[in-house]
Amino acid sequence: MTAQLALGLFVVSLLSGLLPVFVYHASDPWGSVQKLTFLIPWGDLFRQLHYSSSELFFLVLLVHIVLELVRGTPSISRMSWIYSVLGTAAVLGLMFTGFVLKGDQSADAAAQVALHLMGETPLLDRLLPLVRDTEVFVWKFFVWHGFFLPLLLVLGIWRHIGRIAPRREYWVVAIGLSLLVLLLIAMPEDIAPHEEIAHLKGPWFFWGAENLLQLSLSPWLVNLIVSLPFAMLLIYPFVQRKSWIGYALLIWFTGYTAVSLIL
């Protein structure tokens, strides 16, 4: 059930992102987003639908992973499990790059924090040229969001998708839930370049990393903490006593949530 729903939400997210792709210009991210929101017919609806379906897709995906953990033994092969975990990491990358592409002050601040984390961490600093562009700042973020990360996501979950028989009702539910979230939960506010804001925050799943940096933790340690759940999920099919990974993930989630919300 969760796999069917996640697939439906992924399709809604993908289709609703087509219009923004054709309107967006990396040389003028803020202007492009404002044009899409206020000038293009139905542009704001497509933008909000893309946001709500993407957020739901990630949350349903997390629920699906939790159910697999509760099951005790993954219902897919070890290699399919590994590919699916990497696909989940690609979803986070898509959500983060999408946040950066809106081009406001909070997006720029989040991008700068992410680049700082990469630049101050051994090995990751070698990957900086893949995302940093000094002339057109968000150009590479746009390429990752619009092409490479969706491709990595599809490749990561391809084997998993092959086991899912598409059912019409799940597509309807996916669209309905996306529209419901669109009506009930507002997107993060766009902060114009000239506005004076005391404190800028990135996307909600990035708050913990930002707050850990405020605690003066080393960037490499912050990256290690953030990557821990993915490392534990990758080794999950290969360990015999799987319960300890479930408890470790619960402790990590509780701690990261506390750091995200309390600090």
Side-chain angles (χ1 to χ4, degrees):
M1 174 177 159
T2 53
Q4 288 268 12
L5 182 56
L7 179 59
L9 289 166
F10 172 61
V11 173
V12 174
S13 174
L14 190 65
L15 294 178
S16 60
L18 292 178
L19 177 61
V21 164
F22 287 106
V23 175
Y24 194 84
H25 295 283
S27 59
D28 183 20
W30 171 257
S32 297
V33 170
Q34 298 311 299
K35 178 182 178 181
L36 173 68
T37 305
F38 298 108
L39 298 180
I40 302 296
W42 305 103
D44 187 41
L45 175 62
F46 273 86
R47 184 187 174 199
Q48 292 188 62
L49 185 61
H50 184 60
Y51 171 79
S52 62
S53 58
S54 300
E55 296 283 317
L56 277 173
F57 171 52
F58 178 62
L59 293 176
V60 172
L61 193 62
L62 290 182
V63 172
H64 181 62
I65 292 174
V66 170
L67 292 177
E68 289 290 327
L69 294 175
V70 171
R71 186 195 303 270
T73 302
S75 59
I76 56 178
S77 68
R78 289 178 175 179
M79 288 308 300
S80 293
W81 175 270
I82 292 173
Y83 290 144
S84 298
V85 172
L86 296 177
T88 304
V91 175
L92 270 179
L94 279 165
M95 294 174 64
F96 184 81
T97 53
F99 185 89
V100 171
L101 289 180
K102 67 177 186 165
D104 68 343
Q105 286 192 60
S106 59
D108 182 71
Q112 296 292 353
V113 171
L115 293 176
H116 172 68
L117 283 170
M118 291 183 65
E120 297 298 321
T121 303
L123 297 181
L124 285 182
D125 57 346
R126 298 174 181 269
L127 302 179
L128 268 179
L130 295 176
V131 292
R132 184 171 60 188
D133 192 322
T134 56
E135 295 184 4
V136 183
F137 182 67
V138 301
W139 167 245
K140 291 183 179 179
F141 284 94
F142 176 69
V143 173
W144 277 102
H145 186 78
F147 180 73
F148 289 117
L149 285 172
L151 180 61
L152 290 174
L153 172 58
V154 171
L155 291 175
I157 64 176
W158 184 256
R159 293 187 179 185
H160 209 42
I161 292 176
R163 302 171 61 253
I164 301 173
R167 295 171 59 181
R168 182 184 305 173
E169 55 265 35
Y170 285 102
W171 309 116
V172 176
V173 171
I175 296 174
L177 284 176
S178 299
L179 290 173
L180 180 62
V181 171
L182 182 155
L183 293 173
L184 297 179
I185 302 177
M187 291 189 305
E189 183 181 357
D190 296 332
I191 304 174
H194 60 273
E195 289 187 41
E196 294 186 5
I197 302 295
H199 182 62
L200 297 169
K201 300 188 73 173
W204 58 270
F205 53 85
F206 199 54
W207 294 350
E210 293 175 331
N211 289 340
L212 287 171
L213 285 174
Q214 291 186 24
L215 292 174
S216 300
L217 267 67
S218 301
W220 69 266
L221 182 55
V222 174
N223 278 321
L224 178 63
I225 293 172
V226 171
S227 63
L228 272 178
F230 295 102
M232 287 187 284
L233 286 173
L234 284 174
I235 67 172
Y236 180 76
F238 301 94
V239 298
Q240 291 185 343
R241 299 187 61 182
K242 294 177 169 47
S243 59
W244 74 267
I245 291 185
Y247 290 123
L249 286 170
L250 179 61
I251 293 172
W252 180 93
F253 177 79
T254 303
Y256 189 83
T257 301
V259 172
S260 300
L261 298 178
I262 294 176
L263 295 181

